[in-house]
Amino acid sequence: MGEAYFSDIAGKGKKMICFSVSFFSQLLTSLTIAKKLKKINPEIIIVFGGNTNKLIKEKIPEYKRLFEIVDFFVLGDGEETLFNLIKFHKNKDNSVKLEDISNIFYLKDGKVNFTNEDSFDINNAVSPEYDFYNTNKYYFSSIPNNLLLPMRTALGCYWNKCGFCSLSLAKYRQRKIELLIQDINHVVKKYHPSDIWFVDLSISAERLKLIAAALIENKIKVNWRCFTRFEKGYTPETCRLLAKSGCNVLTFGLESGNDRVNALINKGFELSLAETILANLAFAGIRTSVACVAGFPTETEEEYKDTLKFLEKNRENISYYSINIFSLNSDSHVYYNPEKYGVTKIEEPEGYFYIRHLNYKIDKGLTREETQQILRNTPRIKKSKLSLLKFRFRRIQNKIKRMS
């Protein structure tokens, strides 16, 4: 990207630039870009939001130099906060005071201040608008007009118990189904996406049944996908209902193919249930993506191999899978209760702002280094060609049913 690209972003007439730093891996890149934009236009207001701010909230007050680049860090919900920040910088009559704006870190008189943390009522949100996106950049395959747009049905996580997660500790708030259907109908009519991705941390089977029934009742035709959990609600009847409403992919956190490890993580299901659900969804023509974690504290090499065995055994019913190494982050259940998870010591080095994951000690199980080596030597499990044909056939059947 040349200078002209950044000058166009931060040039004449631009007042505020906002970054959504969703993942820790984006932080350094975002700071680098923000610094460049500030150099081009020192008067521009830079705002950082996103989940990463939760992971660095203890560090922000210690590093005042951050505020040479970033004017405001938003912690938690940003909808009303951003609106009030814009009002603050626009207002002529001082009707909005900085200290009254919730959820922000800011620098004043050489001191880093935090106002207060407040939650946003998702039912007060307006329907999503994508006019400011170049939607040509959001096509997710080579098929023409295959536009994928993100939406949320809730804030937080309804399960809120997984040991490794540092994103789920916020209060869970659902958008009313009737408002959500209005949102979807608005987006479908205005932007004509082929797919909508509900980007909630997780949506329960029971709530998905309500969404699916409402989509069918309101005759809204759009494909959709989301993150969810293995739970008893995914009966054959429910899976057929989801498929009829347009569901084409569900992503699950399997984490481990070993029941002891999953119980320690607090996943809340047994592997026998996961197998049944994967089979039910495959029969309904819904593809599945399965996410796994390797090296959770106390996991042994044999227990990791159980995960590979599970993936191999169920490969005809699994469309995609990933295996990621466990990372210990602040603001997670493991961080706050290390003894419960077999962690004997957490190392937090002083003088470092940017730490992608915390080092830790365990008495038993795979170390991070051992897990990395095992992952490097783990071959990919080949997809079942027969299952691909089955999914395509069932998807065609579902399309015909939806058209009739």
Side-chain angles (χ1 to χ4, degrees):
M1 297 178 183
E3 291 295 325
Y5 179 85
F6 292 103
S7 296
D8 182 55
I9 294 173
K12 188 176 179 181
K14 304 296 173 62
K15 304 293 185 183
M16 181 182 288
I17 296 177
C18 303
F19 289 72
S20 185
V21 189
S22 299
F23 302 102
F24 212 50
S25 57
Q26 299 171 333
L27 181 58
L28 280 182
T29 303
S30 298
L31 286 169
T32 303
I33 294 172
K35 185 176 181 179
K36 194 173 187 71
L37 297 175
K38 272 283 190 183
K39 186 177 180 181
I40 294 170
N41 183 354
E43 300 302 315
I44 205 159
I45 304 298
I46 301 287
V47 182
F48 269 31
N51 291 320
T52 300
N53 287 349
K54 288 183 64 180
L55 301 179
I56 61 172
K57 64 182 181 183
E58 306 296 337
K59 297 286 185 180
I60 291 173
E62 299 176 20
Y63 289 83
K64 294 180 184 179
R65 290 191 62 187
L66 287 171
F67 292 90
E68 297 174 9
I69 304 170
V70 181
D71 297 279
F72 301 100
F73 288 89
V74 178
L75 185 67
D77 301 338
E79 288 85 350
E80 289 179 330
T81 300
L82 183 58
F83 176 72
N84 287 325
L85 279 174
I86 293 170
K87 282 177 67 178
F88 171 77
H89 286 285
K90 274 188 168 184
N91 86 87
K92 309 284 191 210
D93 57 358
N94 296 319
S95 59
V96 179
K97 296 181 179 179
L98 201 56
E99 55 268 27
D100 294 333
I101 301 176
S102 298
N103 302 339
I104 57 169
F105 285 99
Y106 66 97
L107 185 69
K108 184 177 181 180
D109 299 328
K111 180 185 175 183
V112 177
N113 301 278
F114 180 71
T115 51
N116 65 293
E117 195 163 357
D118 195 15
S119 297
F120 174 66
D121 184 350
I122 193 171
N123 290 306
N124 289 337
V126 297
S127 293
E129 296 289 345
Y130 305 92
D131 293 344
F132 49 89
Y133 284 123
N134 180 354
T135 52
N136 291 326
K137 294 183 178 181
Y138 288 83
Y139 289 89
F140 67 102
S141 75
S142 58
I143 303 172
N145 301 319
N146 224 4
L147 177 63
L148 173 66
L149 291 178
M151 289 183 66
R152 288 191 300 191
T153 84
L155 296 170
C157 176
Y158 79 96
W159 179 247
N160 205 12
K161 298 176 184 178
C162 295
F164 55 79
C165 188
S166 58
L167 304 178
S168 65
L169 298 181
K171 179 183 176 184
Y172 182 60
R173 291 145 286 158
Q174 294 181 340
R175 189 156 171 83
K176 294 175 181 177
I177 294 294
E178 57 268 28
L179 294 177
L180 178 62
I181 292 301
Q182 289 177 21
D183 296 341
I184 298 170
N185 195 40
H186 166 76
V187 168
V188 169
K189 286 184 175 180
K190 186 171 182 179
Y191 301 102
H192 311 290
S194 61
D195 287 63
I196 288 175
W197 193 328
F198 298 124
V199 293
D200 306 36
L201 292 176
S202 189
I203 308 178
S204 70
E206 195 59 36
R207 182 162 170 81
L208 289 180
K209 281 173 63 177
L210 296 174
I211 294 171
L215 286 170
I216 294 168
E217 181 182 352
N218 288 272
K219 298 180 180 179
I220 300 174
K221 297 184 187 293
V222 66
N223 294 324
W224 58 270
R225 59 187 66 195
C226 71
F227 301 99
T228 185
R229 294 183 61 256
F230 289 114
E231 53 189 22
K232 292 181 180 178
Y234 286 106
T235 62
E237 295 76 20
T238 295
C239 294
R240 288 195 293 270
L241 175 70
L242 300 186
K244 184 179 179 181
S245 73
C247 177
N248 59 5
V249 184
L250 289 178
T251 297
F252 293 87
L254 173 69
E255 316 317 347
S256 175
N258 181 275
D259 278 324
R260 184 199 74 85
V261 176
N262 274 344
L264 180 62
I265 296 173
N266 204 3
K267 292 303 297 183
F269 66 84
E270 294 184 351
L271 293 168
S272 57
L273 176 65
E275 290 188 81
T276 300
I277 290 170
L278 290 169
N280 289 345
L281 289 167
F283 191 78
I286 297 174
R287 289 171 291 164
T288 53
S289 179
V290 170
C292 305
V293 171
F296 193 79
T298 74
E299 181 183 51
T300 66
E301 186 171 356
E302 285 305 309
E303 287 172 327
Y304 166 72
K305 288 178 180 178
D306 287 341
T307 301
L308 301 181
K309 291 175 185 176
F310 182 93
L311 295 172
E312 178 64 41
K313 180 182 177 183
N314 295 279
R315 70 190 185 111
E316 286 200 5
N317 297 328
I318 296 174
S319 306
Y320 322 97
Y321 78 90
S322 63
I323 305 177
N324 296 298
I325 192 168
F326 167 73
S327 292
L328 175 55
N329 293 314
S330 60
D331 229 22
S332 65
H333 290 286
V334 176
Y335 179 80
Y336 289 119
N337 305 280
E339 300 85 1
K340 176 182 175 181
Y341 297 94
V343 174
T344 57
K345 183 181 179 182
I346 297 176
E347 299 174 348
E348 299 186 68
E350 295 182 5
Y352 287 85
F353 167 68
Y354 180 80
I355 306 172
R356 290 190 64 172
H357 59 83
L358 298 170
N359 292 324
Y360 61 93
K361 300 291 185 184
I362 50 175
D363 285 337
K364 59 181 180 179
L366 294 167
T367 65
R368 186 176 178 84
E369 292 72 24
E370 289 170 337
T371 306
Q372 287 173 326
Q373 184 61 43
I374 290 170
L375 284 175
R376 281 194 287 267
N377 295 330
T378 298
R380 291 292 299 176
I381 296 171
K382 293 182 180 179
K383 288 183 180 180
S384 166
K385 292 183 180 180
L386 178 61
S387 70
L388 291 174
L389 290 173
K390 286 180 179 178
F391 274 114
R392 287 172 184 167
F393 175 71
R394 287 167 188 151
R395 285 181 68 193
I396 291 170
Q397 281 185 317
N398 290 338
K399 280 188 177 181
I400 293 171
K401 287 178 183 177
R402 290 171 67 194
M403 291 170 64
S404 60

